[in-house]
Amino acid sequence: MAGHRSLSRRLRAFGLLLGAGTALAAGTVPMMALAADAGTSAGEVQLAAGRAPVQLDPVTVLGTRTEKTVSEVPASVTVVGAEEIRQRQPDDLGDLLDDIPGVEMSGGPRRTAMQPVIRGLTGERVVLRVDGARQNFESGHRGRIFIDPSLLERVEVRRGPASSLYGSGAIGGVMEVETINPGTFLEDGEPWGGEVGVSWESNGDGFGGHAIGATRLGDNAEALVGFTGFDADDLENGAGDTIPFTADDVRSGLVKLVLRPAEGHQLTASYMQFRDEHIIPSAANTNTNSIIVDRKTDQKTMTLGWRFDGNGNPWFDLDARIYRTETSLDERRIDTGRFDETDLATTGIDIANTSRFQLGGFGNHALTYGVEAYRDDQDGQRDGGDRDPYPDARQDILGLFVQDEIVFFDRLTFTPGVRFDRFDREANNQNSASDDAVSPSISVAYAVTPWLNAYASYAEAFRAPSLTELYASGEHFPGNNFKPNPDLRPETAKNKEIGLTLSESDVLTSGDRITGRVAAFRNDVEDFIEMQVQFLGYPGTTTRNNVQDARLDGVEFELAYDAPLWFASFGAARIRGDDRTEGDALGGLPGDKVSLGGGLKFMGGDVVTGWRMVAHDKQDRVATGEAVTPGYAVHDAWVSFQPSDGGLRGARFDLGVDNVFDKTYRQALSELDDPGRTVKLTAAYRF
């Protein structure tokens, strides 16, 4: 529970500040080239002595399930790499993604209440994967994202429907999170390595730490073990008012093993666990404090992957994995002692292979095909008995997909694809149900010049109803009961998108790079599933129905420039939505967004300093009953110091100030204020 910190804990935090300031003031680091950092992403290149590395166009597999640079993908994809993750010192995914056009987080500053939002579609309408493992948990006003960013190596976001490759839920898009790898911490020839670090935050007096160790197990194997922890009191907004129930006590761990048993083959096994203990409202993503619970959130993600690059055989480029994600929320009500258990286990397999070949005058083909199957097992208990609002239930989904990238004349790429999914579900004392969906897609991309690509795409997507939506029964609140609806239809989407991508080097100076994207889309979504509460009669009823059709239109713009001595970025998004059933504005959309950023690199890149601003326009295009959200602009500043040589080589210090001007504001998709000014400091040593 929130309270005063011990004196020793405060001394550790301020000692950390003093140590970082002393290191920065020492001034003994020579002006040399930045040494190759084991944590640097594959998208960076070393330039001449005395010049900092410049980001290359990052490689992604999220857009097409085949390796491409982001500018080559005929869809809107953004990649956040390891260096940016460290610079931002994020508490949650929202800190990493808030300046990406079309991407938001709902739920406010309570980290276990957050939901991803892509192009105005939230919750289970976004596929979330960690190392390829689906994160399907969804329960009422609780969150979906249980991840400590300290253990992440990169985050990829695909905006727009993608069910032809990723199946149920990809109506809004896909978020793929990759955890750190052993090779990141192992220099060439070294048998072992790792990193230790501590962090402190002024807002909430948060204190954290991490310890990561990696080792070689012979010539063809590596292992990693990592632990992180973070403890903080309640946060304050810009006016100095406490944001209630935002204290956290988080512990996370990761174990990963990488084996290369033969040429071209790689096996990866991982186990990650996230735990958070806190006092929080049962409806955690709202400002309602009527039911307060002592909650323990526990999530375990286990994966086993096999990667085979074909070893020169063009018919094989295989990526296969099996996984299991177990999410458990244990809640004891503070006032009555009632004890609720909310569990979901997702067990799945995902196999995709790409075969490359030529068909005479019919182009070069990259045929990707595969299968995905997973089962959601849901279990809920209240004081040891059945819990009807979260009933015991099961859903099985089987998907088969195929996609062919056909390249003509080295400039024109034609990519048709289709996926078939079948889902079967059942619950205790309820009728079972089955359904299926076909999700076609097609895109055309043309290389106008070596640095400019144009594309157009059409994609259909769907979301199968969740087990809770189908089978919830029992009491919703006093005088009102849930009514199951096993006949719910899947939500469906049809998206049209056109865009231009830009990627070019040596534009203003030798070794620089500019990248960009502009995209316009229209997404027609049918059979929205909504909760409907009927107050007439006693008891009243609450049920879910397919009641709404919607149209979302939008434009997104991204532009980034990186040079050896400085960098800058610009992003913007405008989304409009109409409820085509009622004829009103569609609710739950963010205001127009603009982001700006830039910074300088000193001492060959040993010191990097930057600033960013994210601004949202007033959101008054709201559904009936929704509150208008005022516009706001939030500024962040940061500096990173990573000596490339000398006595401090291996050390790193990151100092940041979030919400520099202590703005009091609330995001359009949240009922709670966001935190006020927050000073963050991390000191780490890589060995």
Side-chain angles (χ1 to χ4, degrees):
M1 184 177 292
H4 293 292
R5 295 292 162 197
S6 68
L7 177 60
S8 61
R9 184 170 174 275
R10 293 182 183 275
L11 289 174
R12 287 198 303 270
F14 286 102
L16 177 58
L17 280 170
L18 179 61
T22 301
L24 285 169
T28 58
V29 182
M31 300 281 284
M32 299 180 60
L34 179 65
D37 173 19
T40 298
S41 69
E44 294 184 356
V45 62
Q46 181 64 49
L47 301 177
R51 308 177 79 186
V54 169
Q55 287 286 338
L56 293 177
D57 197 358
V59 173
T60 176
V61 297
L62 187 63
T64 60
R65 281 192 183 248
T66 57
E67 284 194 356
K68 289 182 177 293
T69 62
V70 167
S71 62
E72 294 175 322
V73 177
S76 295
V77 176
T78 300
V79 176
V80 180
E83 180 62 22
E84 188 170 358
I85 293 174
R86 301 189 76 178
Q87 288 171 349
R88 294 201 176 199
Q89 304 179 75
D91 294 323
D92 49 62
L93 277 186
D95 290 343
L96 286 177
L97 308 178
D98 60 356
D99 59 347
I100 297 177
V103 179
E104 311 288 341
M105 285 289 171
S106 69
R110 295 170 182 154
R111 70 168 68 196
T112 58
M114 289 189 171
Q115 296 269 7
V117 184
I118 299 180
R119 291 182 173 176
L121 298 172
T122 187
E124 293 175 293
R125 299 178 181 102
V126 174
V127 170
L128 177 64
R129 308 193 332 165
V130 175
D131 289 338
R134 279 182 173 260
Q135 313 292 297
N136 287 351
F137 181 83
E138 175 75 17
S139 176
H141 296 285
R142 301 165 178 88
R144 286 188 64 199
I145 301 174
F146 311 120
I147 300 169
D148 187 338
S150 301
L151 296 174
L152 300 186
E153 188 141 301
R154 62 190 267 140
V155 180
E156 298 186 42
V157 181
R158 170 172 171 159
R159 307 188 291 279
S163 282
S164 63
L165 291 175
Y166 296 99
S168 177
I171 290 179
V174 183
M175 286 187 181
E176 178 80 41
V177 173
E178 180 184 339
T179 57
I180 54 177
N181 291 297
T184 301
F185 302 89
L186 295 172
E187 295 186 3
D188 292 342
E190 293 296 327
W192 57 277
E195 181 176 291
V196 292
V198 290
S199 61
W200 173 79
E201 296 184 7
S202 61
N203 201 337
D205 194 18
F207 188 83
H210 66 271
I212 299 166
T215 186
R216 299 187 193 277
L217 305 173
D219 294 333
N220 299 305
E222 297 120 20
L224 175 146
V225 177
F227 299 96
T228 71
F230 184 76
D231 187 16
D233 290 337
D234 286 336
L235 302 171
E236 294 181 351
N237 65 13
D241 299 326
T242 298
I243 309 172
F245 307 109
T246 50
D248 273 307
D249 184 3
V250 179
R251 302 291 181 269
S252 293
L254 172 68
V255 179
K256 185 175 283 190
L257 176 66
V258 178
L259 304 174
R260 288 175 290 277
E263 189 71 24
H265 294 267
Q266 179 171 292
L267 301 176
T268 303
S270 69
Y271 172 87
M272 184 170 71
Q273 185 168 3
F274 172 94
R275 299 193 69 179
D276 194 353
E277 299 185 12
H278 46 184
I279 307 297
I280 197 168
S282 180
N285 65 352
T286 72
N287 62 3
T288 300
N289 298 327
S290 58
I291 300 178
I292 306 302
V293 297
D294 184 350
R295 175 180 296 171
K296 293 179 177 63
T297 301
D298 193 324
Q299 184 175 77
K300 305 178 183 73
T301 300
M302 296 148 277
T303 66
L304 179 61
W306 173 33
R307 183 81 175 86
F308 177 47
D309 64 13
N311 195 21
N313 188 332
W315 291 96
F316 292 99
D317 189 353
L318 179 68
D319 189 2
R321 74 190 69 243
I322 58 176
Y323 62 86
R324 182 174 174 86
T325 303
E326 299 176 355
T327 307
S328 175
L329 270 65
D330 292 344
E331 301 176 333
R332 186 171 298 280
R333 189 164 167 171
I334 297 298
D335 55 352
T336 67
R338 188 184 72 189
F339 186 63
D340 285 349
E341 299 171 85
T342 307
D343 302 316
L344 180 75
T346 301
T347 307
I349 182 170
D350 190 330
I351 303 173
N353 184 58
T354 299
S355 299
R356 295 176 171 85
F357 53 90
Q358 293 180 329
L359 284 179
F362 294 95
N364 298 317
H365 295 252
L367 184 68
T368 301
Y369 46 93
V371 59
E372 181 184 18
Y374 60 92
R375 168 176 290 180
D376 286 333
D377 277 305
Q378 174 179 291
D379 178 47
Q381 292 191 332
R382 174 163 291 170
D383 293 329
D386 292 339
R387 183 175 161 215
D388 293 335
Y390 193 83
D392 293 353
R394 186 181 72 191
Q395 179 165 247
D396 294 309
I397 293 185
L398 172 65
L400 306 172
F401 58 89
V402 60
Q403 172 189 270
D404 194 8
E405 296 177 62
I406 313 168
V407 180
F408 299 96
F409 318 116
D410 294 325
R411 301 182 71 174
L412 178 65
T413 304
F414 178 66
T415 309
V418 66
R419 174 167 171 147
F420 172 80
D421 285 271
R422 176 176 176 82
F423 29 103
D424 301 282
R425 55 255 182 164
E426 60 184 34
N428 290 347
N429 304 316
Q430 302 287 345
N431 294 328
S432 59
S434 300
D435 211 335
D436 55 59
V438 176
S439 305
S441 66
I442 188 170
S443 67
V444 179
Y446 183 70
V448 181
T449 70
W451 49 270
L452 181 66
N453 293 327
Y455 70 89
S457 66
Y458 172 80
E460 296 185 9
F462 78 99
R463 180 182 77 87
S466 71
L467 295 171
T468 301
E469 289 172 329
L470 290 161
Y471 296 120
S473 61
E475 184 180 83
H476 182 199
F477 54 84
N480 191 279
N481 292 335
F482 283 108
K483 180 181 178 181
N485 185 2
D487 297 323
L488 281 174
R489 300 183 301 277
E491 298 177 337
T492 61
K494 299 177 181 179
N495 187 73
K496 284 76 66 179
E497 183 169 336
I498 58 174
L500 294 171
T501 65
L502 165 70
S503 180
E504 180 67 326
S505 299
D506 302 327
V507 179
L508 300 179
T509 186
S510 176
D512 68 357
R513 173 165 290 275
I514 186 170
T515 57
R517 179 186 301 270
V518 60
F521 66 89
R522 168 171 287 179
N523 194 7
D524 290 297
V525 185
E526 299 179 353
D527 289 330
F528 257 121
I529 297 172
E530 285 192 351
M531 179 186 292
Q532 295 182 309
V533 181
Q534 173 61 258
F535 293 96
L536 296 178
Y538 187 87
T541 60
T542 297
T543 190
R544 276 91 167 182
N545 287 310
N546 300 99
V547 298
Q548 188 184 44
D549 296 341
R551 169 169 290 175
L552 297 107
D553 298 280
V555 178
E556 297 166 349
F557 186 85
E558 294 178 280
L559 187 65
Y561 177 78
D562 196 13
L565 299 179
W566 65 284
F567 57 93
S569 64
F570 172 76
R574 179 184 185 273
I575 302 174
R576 296 291 184 270
D578 296 312
D579 181 340
R580 295 171 65 83
T581 301
E582 301 294 335
D584 300 327
L586 186 67
L589 298 183
D592 298 344
K593 179 165 76 171
V594 172
S595 62
L596 292 169
L600 301 172
K601 307 173 186 178
F602 302 97
M603 301 169 62
D606 285 7
V607 177
V608 182
T609 183
W611 159 86
R612 59 181 167 266
M613 182 273 293
V614 178
H616 280 82
D617 194 12
K618 176 182 179 180
Q619 179 55 297
D620 55 6
R621 300 172 301 280
V622 297
T624 302
E626 277 191 342
V628 172
T629 305
Y632 61 88
V634 179
H635 299 256
D636 303 329
W638 51 269
V639 59
S640 294
F641 174 44
Q642 186 172 347
S644 59
D645 207 347
L648 286 176
R649 187 176 186 273
R652 177 176 178 133
F653 303 93
D654 290 279
L655 173 65
V657 183
D658 293 350
N659 194 357
V660 172
F661 299 110
D662 213 12
K663 178 76 172 180
T664 300
Y665 70 101
R666 177 176 62 84
Q667 299 183 47
L669 305 178
S670 174
E671 296 185 19
L672 299 170
D673 286 344
D674 269 53
R677 183 187 299 116
T678 305
V679 178
K680 296 181 176 181
L681 180 59
T682 300
Y685 180 73
R686 185 165 292 187
F687 52 88

